[in-house]
């Protein structure tokens, strides 16, 4: 402690301290520094130890009365928070300086060196330096309480796809993990028809909706339900539901377009193969190699369905193949694919090897197929497909067989697989055991594609490369349930 006084002039003399009698320069209190220190304590009433509440989950500090702020150690924000804790007890003194003293980061102690001034005893100004110790005490904030409870939510995003399988959701799961969009979710529930994401705020739910709309072709619908209404402050509390329906067309699906849509896409054939699905549906005509993209808006205006599920594909063996070169397209034709090769092939079902029955078709897989290769395809000649547009087509325009993809031996790849995909922490309600087998089949699709080729000649792409330009495939849903909650 020290006192503040005006500079002494040469004509001033010393006086005796009124308490201890030693000579001192004149001051309003007529007391020496030692006597003033023992007589007056200007820090009286200011606590020297204060509790500071900290939430370990979100790493935020409580700022009374009910707000939580994030502050780094020894930051300006933390200094302001600590001084606010002392503000109520420092109304009669003047704050001159404040700064942190170093403490062990794991000690749960924050020490603040504070300098104050106060006028005492006939106008004498005293200055004192002292240390305030802030003890960090753990306290879970309300937001983290709700997250831990997993029973509070303000908004829900319900994602559905009306197909008989759920591979789209396996791909979406990897994308969500990559971009860390699952971190703000209070709870994630996986059900037979799709997956639900629960959020504490409408902003977090809207962020997920925006991500899905940029990732897959879909349509959304929003509804909200009034929970409570405060008539005094005229505030309303709503629960919001975002319903996302992904188009029911997946990679390797055979589709039949409406005549109007096929004409608008460059007069391509109505029977097409879905090469992949990103934010748009990528279609290829196996008869001409014409390609086209259909976005979500175009699809919902001109909807079409998959003619075959993966379980209906049959295995064929290539008996002969002939590459078609320099094919000329008609007027108004669209873009042709440079990644595929058009070929005429003769195939035979592996289940009919004891017969002479063979099928002739055109395919976009001419760059992959050789005599003796196995290939997955759909037999239109011996199937009964009920589709609005297919039923109106001329039989001469419907191919006998549409080949989808080359078959590779999975067993060897499963044995040498040394990686495992991450999964989101989610509840699984009513999930059947066959979902695990479907998941294994989806992982094999990842494993099949890596950089070069394996011993079987299968093209392969690295896992990270696929994540950079991910193609979405099949999904779950069946007929689906009502997507809007009560």
């Amino acid at each position: 402690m020290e006192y503040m006084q005006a500079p002494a002039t040469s004509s001033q003399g010393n006086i005796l301290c009124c308490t201890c009698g030693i000579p001192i320069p004149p001051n309003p209190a007529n007391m020496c520094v030692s006597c003033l220190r023992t007589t007056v304590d200007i820090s009286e009433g200011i606590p020297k130890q204060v509790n500071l509440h900290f939430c370990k989950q979100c790493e935020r500090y409580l700022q009374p009365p009910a707000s939580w702020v994030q502050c780094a150690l020894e930051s300006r924000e933390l200094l302001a928070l600590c001084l606010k804790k002392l503000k109520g007890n420092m109304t009669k003194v003047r704050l001159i300086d404040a700064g942190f003293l170093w403490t062990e980061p794991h000690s749960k102690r924050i020490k603040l060196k504070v300098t104050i001034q106060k006028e005492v005893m006939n106008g004498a100004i005293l200055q004192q330096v002292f240390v305030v110790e802030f003890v960090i005490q753990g306290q879970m904030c309300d937001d983290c309480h709700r997250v831990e409870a997993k029973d509070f939510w303000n908004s829900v995003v319900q994602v559905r796809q009306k197909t008989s399988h759920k591979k789209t959701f396996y791909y979406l799961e990897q994308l969500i993990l990559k971009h860390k969009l699952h971190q703000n979710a209070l709870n994630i529930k996986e059900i037979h028809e799709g997956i639900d994401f629960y959020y504490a705020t409408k902003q977090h739910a809207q962020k997920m909706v925006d991500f899905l709309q940029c990732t897959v072709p879909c349509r959304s619908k929003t509804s909200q339900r009034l929970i409570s209404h405060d008539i005094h402050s005229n505030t309303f509390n709503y629960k919001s539901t975002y319903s996302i329906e992904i188009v029911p067309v997946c990679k390797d699906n055979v589709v039949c377009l409406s005549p109007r849509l096929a004409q608008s896409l460059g007069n391509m054939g109505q029977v097409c193969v879905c090469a992949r699905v990103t934010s748009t549906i990528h279609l290829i005509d196996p008869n001409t190699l014409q390609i086209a993209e259909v976005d979500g808006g175009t699809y919902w205006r001109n909807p079409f369905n998959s003619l075959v599920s993966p379980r209906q594909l049959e295995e064929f063996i290539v008996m002969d193949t002939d590459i078609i070169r320099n094919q000329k397209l008609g007027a108004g034709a669209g873009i042709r694919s440079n990644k595929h090769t058009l070929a005429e092939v003769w195939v035979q079902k592996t289940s009919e090897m004891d017969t002479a029955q063979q099928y002739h078709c055109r395919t976009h897989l001419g760059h992959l197929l050789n005599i003796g290769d196995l290939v997955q395809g759909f037999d239109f000649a011996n199937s009964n497909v009920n589709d609005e547009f297919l039923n109106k087509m001329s039989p001469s325009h419907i191919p006998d067989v549409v080949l989808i993809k080359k078959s590779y031996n999975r067993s060897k790849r499963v044995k040498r697989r040394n990686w495992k995909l991450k999964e989101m922490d989610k509840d699984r309600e009513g999930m059947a055991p066959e979902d695990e087998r479907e998941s294994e089949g989806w992982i094999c699709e990842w494993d099949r594609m890596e950089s070069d080729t394996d011993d079987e000649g299968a093209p392969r792409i690295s896992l990270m490369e696929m994540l950079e330009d991910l193609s979405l495939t099949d999904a779950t849903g069946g007929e689906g349930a009502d997507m809007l909650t009560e």
Side-chain angles (χ1 to χ4, degrees):
M1 179 186 298
E2 58 185 22
Y3 63 84
M4 312 294 293
Q5 64 178 6
T9 63
S10 58
S11 60
Q12 280 186 324
N14 291 337
I15 63 172
L16 299 180
C17 174
C18 64
T19 301
C20 63
I22 65 172
I24 58 171
N27 63 75
N30 294 326
M31 297 178 67
C32 65
V33 175
S34 301
C35 294
L36 276 174
R37 185 179 292 115
T38 57
T39 305
V40 180
D41 181 13
I42 63 174
S43 67
E44 185 179 3
I46 301 176
K48 304 304 186 293
Q49 190 174 72
V50 182
N51 291 332
L52 200 61
H53 297 283
F54 177 74
C55 178
K56 293 187 293 184
Q57 274 72 13
C58 61
E59 298 184 350
R60 294 186 298 174
Y61 293 90
L62 173 62
Q63 180 174 303
S67 60
W68 292 80
V69 294
Q70 196 150 10
C71 308
L73 288 177
E74 299 190 4
S75 63
R76 294 170 58 92
E77 293 79 9
L78 185 57
L79 179 62
L81 178 63
C82 293
L83 292 177
K84 283 182 181 179
K85 301 281 287 184
L86 303 176
K87 185 177 180 180
N89 304 102
M90 297 178 62
T91 56
K92 297 182 180 180
V93 298
R94 179 184 178 188
L95 179 65
I96 300 301
D97 188 25
F100 290 104
L101 296 177
W102 186 87
T103 56
E104 173 63 37
H106 303 290
S107 65
K108 295 186 178 182
R109 296 289 190 275
I110 296 177
K111 293 185 177 181
L112 202 64
K113 183 180 179 181
V114 181
T115 303
I116 58 175
Q117 284 183 358
K118 184 179 180 181
E119 183 178 337
V120 297
M121 290 189 179
N122 302 321
I125 298 177
L126 298 185
Q127 180 171 303
Q128 184 173 346
V129 180
F130 60 97
V131 175
V132 181
E133 184 180 68
F134 293 85
V135 180
I136 298 177
Q137 292 188 345
Q139 177 178 329
M140 187 177 291
C141 66
D142 293 339
D143 293 338
C144 293
H145 262 301
R146 292 164 181 167
V147 173
E148 290 296 319
K150 293 185 178 181
D151 59 358
F152 173 85
W153 57 273
N154 175 268
S155 300
V156 59
V157 179
Q158 297 178 325
V159 189
R160 301 289 186 268
Q161 189 183 43
K162 294 182 179 180
T163 58
S164 58
H165 24 71
K166 50 184 302 181
K167 294 182 181 179
T168 295
F169 294 100
Y170 295 137
Y171 283 101
L172 280 177
E173 181 177 22
Q174 297 307 309
L175 282 178
I176 291 170
L177 288 169
K178 176 184 176 182
H179 296 283
K180 300 180 180 179
L181 292 175
H182 65 294
Q183 293 181 343
N184 294 324
L186 298 178
N187 195 16
I188 302 174
K189 288 186 178 180
E190 183 181 0
I191 57 178
H192 178 66
E193 296 84 8
I195 190 168
D196 296 338
F197 298 88
Y198 295 86
Y199 296 94
T201 64
K202 192 174 181 179
Q203 291 77 10
H204 290 155
Q206 186 63 53
K207 185 177 180 181
M208 173 60 77
V209 173
D210 294 340
F211 167 77
L212 292 173
Q213 290 177 337
C214 295
T215 305
V216 291
C218 60
R219 63 179 175 181
S220 63
K221 183 167 60 174
T222 306
S223 68
Q224 57 184 12
R225 178 164 56 101
L226 179 64
I227 302 301
S228 61
H229 174 210
D230 188 347
I231 60 175
H232 300 289
S233 60
N234 198 30
T235 57
F236 298 83
N237 181 23
Y238 291 97
K239 279 192 174 183
S240 302
T241 299
Y242 298 86
S243 301
I244 306 296
E245 184 178 1
I246 303 174
V247 297
V249 177
C250 308
K251 181 177 180 291
D252 296 336
N253 280 175
V254 182
V255 299
C256 183
L257 309 180
S258 66
R260 180 180 178 181
L261 179 59
Q263 183 180 13
S264 67
L265 297 177
N267 291 325
M268 66 189 307
Q270 288 184 249
V271 177
C272 298
V273 176
C274 179
R276 60 175 181 155
V277 180
T278 55
S279 57
T280 58
I281 304 172
H282 298 252
L283 300 175
I284 184 169
D285 184 351
N287 290 317
T288 62
L289 293 188
Q290 281 186 251
I291 56 175
E293 295 185 18
V294 178
D295 58 22
T298 303
Y299 174 84
W300 296 115
R301 289 191 297 270
N302 304 274
F304 51 87
N305 297 314
S306 172
L307 303 180
V308 56
S309 68
R311 293 170 184 167
Q312 294 175 289
L313 294 180
E314 298 188 65
E315 190 175 61
F316 296 84
I317 185 170
V318 178
M319 307 303 293
D320 195 8
T321 179
D322 184 18
I323 302 297
I324 300 176
R325 306 183 187 277
N326 302 322
Q327 184 197 25
K328 293 184 179 180
L329 300 178
I335 304 173
R336 295 185 60 181
S337 173
N338 295 323
K339 298 181 180 179
H340 301 82
T341 301
L342 188 63
E344 289 187 349
V345 296
W346 286 259
V347 294
Q348 186 176 17
K349 290 184 182 180
T350 55
S351 59
E352 298 177 349
M353 295 298 292
D354 55 344
T355 68
Q357 178 65 43
Q358 293 189 8
Y359 303 89
H360 171 262
C361 65
R362 282 191 175 186
T363 181
H364 60 293
L365 304 176
H367 59 299
L368 295 177
L369 300 182
N370 298 300
I371 297 175
D373 286 344
L374 297 178
V375 59
Q376 296 285 325
F378 182 65
D379 180 10
F380 275 94
N382 300 306
S383 63
N384 182 16
V385 179
N386 184 18
D387 182 79
E388 175 186 0
F389 305 124
L390 189 69
N391 295 339
K392 296 178 181 179
M393 288 182 61
S394 171
S396 61
H397 293 160
I398 301 177
D400 291 338
V401 173
V402 175
L403 302 181
I404 305 298
K405 57 184 177 180
K406 186 176 179 180
S407 297
Y408 300 99
N409 187 357
R410 289 184 177 182
S411 58
K412 292 185 178 181
R413 285 188 297 275
V414 171
K415 291 180 180 179
R416 65 168 176 259
R417 184 186 306 148
N418 56 2
W419 51 268
K420 183 179 181 181
L421 288 177
K422 292 183 179 180
E423 294 185 9
M424 294 185 297
D425 184 13
K426 53 185 179 292
D427 294 339
R428 299 171 63 90
E429 294 185 356
M431 304 308 296
E434 57 264 19
D435 292 332
E436 296 184 3
R437 294 194 296 269
E438 186 176 342
S439 175
E440 172 63 25
W442 175 80
I443 293 177
C444 286
E445 289 189 18
W446 285 78
D447 206 15
R448 178 169 62 90
M449 306 296 289
E450 292 186 13
S451 67
D452 304 323
T453 57
D454 60 11
D455 350 357
E456 317 289 322
R460 303 190 302 180
I461 301 173
S462 66
L463 184 64
M464 293 305 297
E465 186 177 352
M466 290 192 71
L467 276 176
E468 293 299 328
D469 186 17
L470 191 61
S471 299
L472 300 179
T473 60
D474 321 324
T476 186
E479 290 301 321
D482 187 2
M483 292 167 57
L484 296 178
T485 58
E486 295 295 333

